[in-house]
Amino acid sequence: MVSGVHTHDVVIVGGGHNALVAAAYLGRAGRSVVVLERLDHVGGAAVSERPWAGVDARLSRYSYLVSLLPRAIIDDLDLRIALRRRRYSSYTPDPADPARGILIDNADAEATGASFARVTGTTGEADRFASFTARLEPAARAVFPTMTEPLRRRSAVRIAVADDRLWDDLVDNPLGAVLRSSLDTDIARGIALTDGLIGTFATADDESLRQNRCFLYHVIGGGTGDWDVPVGGMGQVSGELERAARTAGADLRTGVEVTAVSPDGEVTVGGSRPETLRGRLVLSGVGPAVLAGLLRAGGAAPDGEDQAPEGAQVKVNMLLRRLPKLCDAAVTPEAAFGGTFHINETMSQLDAAHATAVGGGIPNPLPAEIYCHSLTDPSILGEDLRASGAHTLTLFGLQVPHRLVAGEDRDAARAALLAAAQRSLDSVLAEPIADVVFEAPDGSACIEARTTADLEDSLGMAGGDIFHGDLSWPWADDDEPLETPAQRWGVATAHDRVLVCGSGSRRGGAVSGLGGHSAAMAALEMLAG
Ligand SMILES: Cc1cc2nc3c(=O)[nH]c(=O)nc-3n(C[C@H](O)[C@H](O)[C@H](O)COP(=O)(O)OP(=O)(O)OC[C@H]3O[C@@H](n4cnc5c(N)ncnc54)[C@H](O)[C@@H]3O)c2cc1C
């Protein structure tokens, strides 16, 4: 199939966690593989960093929770990754009266019911929420195991889900309809809807069904939809993948920027030591939009219109002297921040925020979810910090599309989003968050915002899109060609020798390793052929 003299079996562009998964599988199968990463370290968006000089806090600076990384990949690659389950699913203060909120405690159904009743006036909503969640379980159990296999056809997955009404609700109709028919209150509908809006700019009733696809990925992980804390932070996940790739013999090169990819497998590296490498196959760990630019630079004819990806989030990383006091005296900060803390995320607030952003404004209040890593895993803090009662806090703001910051002054746009995030958080606290932010030795406050523009600059993520583009359904359409290995694994491009191995592959979104796994499986078939 592939002829000529080649230096490597596989050249991988970009060194994100997916690239490392692919490199580890390929290396273990005896294939020569080189990974080219422009930064001075691998891991992409799955890394731990110390953002503040002189402060021993290793934050999961970008991605922070794990759900979609299959046990099979952990086992196949002998990864020493511990994922810790959280007792509390979520805490959601009532935006109309933040002195009360819904605490969903996985270990105490009675307390959860009482908490729903305090906010909604009835225990029925707790039951409805539990029933809605339980209804999703067959879909999770049917879909998740298929993710490490060649793509199934849509109709086959529908049969496996074995619930036509559920399929219609999740896959065929905009998510808003099932949320309204299953749940009675704006606040409970909002708690569920957020799973559809992570990094995804949409309304509950968006005809594009982007929110449905994002929702599906958020509720199927591990067959349960649980989002777990990686012990040691995301750096531990990528660190283990790096170890697995190196042990398997992969050549990982950092500080090398790929400037062009030719459809016949030539990869050009720029910088102070320009070089051209050849691969029998090229795997792209960068997003499809970035790959399209590299292919154009490598002489490929344009492949239709490039889809411009657009992220829709802002992430705020904080280190606190202590957890802040809440308006709600019935809940401890340890419980509230122990799961996912939703602020200003009722369904109507989420839709209103979308409308504001469509009109060019920053949503006010900014819908956001917060999570405290150090409550579940204190190992990311140095001993002194731990002993002092310090905690990390991560805020993930929704409905802030890249268009709000693109072309604007970077610093001003970042400051505006940080201010909006702080305002939103302060609306449910009994003290301003600024009062408990840790101070670094140089006197600066340990709080930073990462906008979509920052992600473009630091990670090369086009449009700051955390999934490298819209998520796809994790199956093949019934009439889709599945003739080649690349098609069967959902990693094909318009060029036979170039495969997608990152988040932009069919099932690749999130820290899952699925893009890397799928590309490696396709590549091994092709190289053996
Ligand atoms: C703020 C944020 C929060 C998130 N939260 C979560 C979460 O909690 N859980 C979850 O599952 N997912 C989360 N995600 C999504 C998840 O992190 C990504 O989908 C995933 O990490 C992408 O991995 P990847 O290996 O496909 O690509 P990336 O991590 O994007 O890696 C691509 C790599 O390619 C490199 N590169 C780019 N251009 C070039 C070039 N020309 N030459 C060489 N190298 C190049 C980049 O530097 C980068 O290292 C989050 C993402 C972000 C940004």
Side-chain angles (χ1 to χ4, degrees):
M1 178 191 48
V2 180
S3 62
V5 180
H6 303 281
T7 314
H8 305 278
D9 286 323
V10 178
V11 177
I12 305 185
V13 180
H17 86 284
N18 268 312
L20 299 173
V21 169
Y25 274 103
L26 290 163
R28 286 165 89 101
R31 294 297 174 182
S32 64
V33 47
V34 59
V35 175
L36 307 170
E37 166 57 48
R38 70 191 247 281
L39 297 176
D40 64 3
H41 58 271
V42 291
V47 288
S48 298
E49 291 177 357
R50 287 184 176 80
W52 304 288
V55 180
D56 191 8
R58 295 177 309 284
L59 269 64
S60 298
R61 201 170 194 182
Y62 303 102
S63 54
Y64 45 105
L65 292 170
V66 175
S67 176
L68 291 151
L69 177 64
R71 188 76 236 169
I73 293 181
I74 295 177
D75 291 345
D76 285 353
L77 301 180
D78 297 320
L79 305 176
R80 293 178 298 221
I81 293 175
L83 302 174
R84 205 165 276 168
R85 185 97 351 130
R86 297 175 294 169
R87 166 172 172 172
Y88 299 100
S89 171
S90 63
Y91 171 68
T92 310
D94 180 358
D97 177 7
R100 57 190 197 175
I102 297 174
L103 180 69
I104 301 182
D105 181 348
N106 297 325
D108 193 339
E110 209 174 300
T112 300
S115 154
F116 264 96
R118 234 182 357 260
V119 172
T120 66
T122 155
T123 50
E125 192 70 334
D127 296 340
R128 281 187 286 278
F129 197 86
S131 304
F132 176 65
T133 309
R135 224 189 131 207
L136 304 173
E137 284 166 13
R141 280 198 301 271
V143 176
F144 195 66
T146 70
M147 304 287 262
T148 42
E149 297 171 356
L151 289 173
R152 300 253 178 111
R153 295 275 184 202
R154 177 190 166 96
S155 50
V157 180
R158 184 179 179 132
I159 289 167
V161 167
D163 181 340
D164 283 349
R165 272 196 51 217
L166 180 63
W167 183 271
D168 291 347
D169 287 341
L170 291 182
V171 180
D172 287 340
N173 301 314
L175 189 61
V178 68
L179 298 182
R180 276 187 284 270
S181 64
S182 308
L183 302 164
D184 280 359
T185 56
D186 198 21
I187 191 165
R189 290 170 184 164
I191 295 171
L193 176 59
T194 55
D195 276 338
L197 302 180
I198 300 298
T200 298
F201 191 52
T203 62
D205 300 307
D206 210 298
E207 291 294 332
S208 71
L209 302 182
R210 269 195 295 268
Q211 73 284 20
N212 291 51
R213 291 191 289 275
C214 183
F215 185 80
L216 187 74
Y217 276 84
H218 277 84
V219 298
I220 61 173
T224 61
D226 285 316
W227 284 82
D228 296 332
V229 176
V231 175
M234 274 299 177
Q236 179 67 20
V237 176
S238 286
E240 275 298 290
L241 289 169
E242 178 179 358
R243 185 184 60 79
R246 284 192 197 280
T247 308
D251 178 4
L252 308 185
R253 299 188 196 172
T254 54
V256 282
E257 174 151 15
V258 173
T259 54
V261 172
S262 79
D264 67 352
E266 250 180 35
V267 176
T268 308
V269 166
S272 53
R273 286 181 300 136
E275 192 190 344
T276 298
L277 297 91
R278 291 187 71 84
R280 292 173 67 193
L281 295 173
V282 175
L283 266 50
S284 165
V286 300
V290 177
L291 175 65
L294 295 175
L295 281 164
R296 268 197 305 275
D303 175 25
E305 287 278 296
D306 284 351
Q307 211 199 19
E310 184 178 43
Q313 75 292 324
V314 59
K315 188 176 182 219
V316 179
N317 295 312
M318 294 169 253
L319 179 68
L320 308 178
R321 287 188 288 109
R322 58 170 169 77
L323 291 175
K325 297 186 189 112
L326 303 171
C327 295
D328 183 352
V331 173
T332 64
E334 286 73 16
F337 290 106
T340 299
F341 187 135
H342 299 276
I343 12 169
N344 294 311
E345 291 191 328
T346 66
M347 186 161 162
S348 56
Q349 281 179 312
L350 288 162
D351 281 352
H354 183 274
T356 303
V358 166
I362 295 176
N364 182 21
L366 181 78
E369 35 206 84
I370 307 173
Y371 138 81
C372 172
H373 185 110
S374 53
L375 276 171
T376 308
D377 168 31
S379 74
I380 61 165
L381 296 179
E383 240 171 71
D384 291 350
L385 277 179
R386 237 182 293 168
S388 74
H391 276 294
T392 62
L393 211 59
T394 287
L395 178 148
F396 193 91
L398 309 187
Q399 306 289 40
V400 279
H402 185 55
R403 68 192 80 162
L404 297 182
V405 300
E408 301 292 325
D409 177 85
R410 288 272 197 272
D411 294 337
R414 188 185 307 112
L417 286 176
L418 178 57
Q422 283 187 247
R423 261 197 316 277
S424 188
L425 177 50
D426 283 348
S427 73
V428 296
L429 300 182
E431 57 187 340
I433 190 70
D435 286 3
V436 292
V437 170
F438 196 89
E439 201 177 281
D442 67 1
S444 59
C446 293
I447 180 165
E448 64 157 15
R450 309 296 285 168
T451 66
T452 49
D454 292 330
L455 300 184
E456 278 200 324
D457 294 345
S458 57
L459 299 174
M461 275 182 165
D465 191 320
I466 69 171
F467 303 128
H468 293 181
D470 281 354
L471 291 167
S472 311
W473 295 117
W475 48 74
D477 279 338
D478 286 341
D479 58 355
E480 189 176 332
L482 294 179
E483 282 137 31
T484 67
Q487 289 170 342
R488 284 193 290 278
W489 283 97
V491 296
T493 69
H495 309 283
D496 289 349
R497 285 195 191 182
V498 182
L499 312 183
V500 185
C501 82
S503 254
S505 64
R506 182 69 57 96
R507 300 171 286 194
V511 179
S512 64
L514 287 166
H517 175 266
S518 294
M521 295 304 113
L524 289 174
E525 271 187 57
M526 292 166 81
L527 293 168

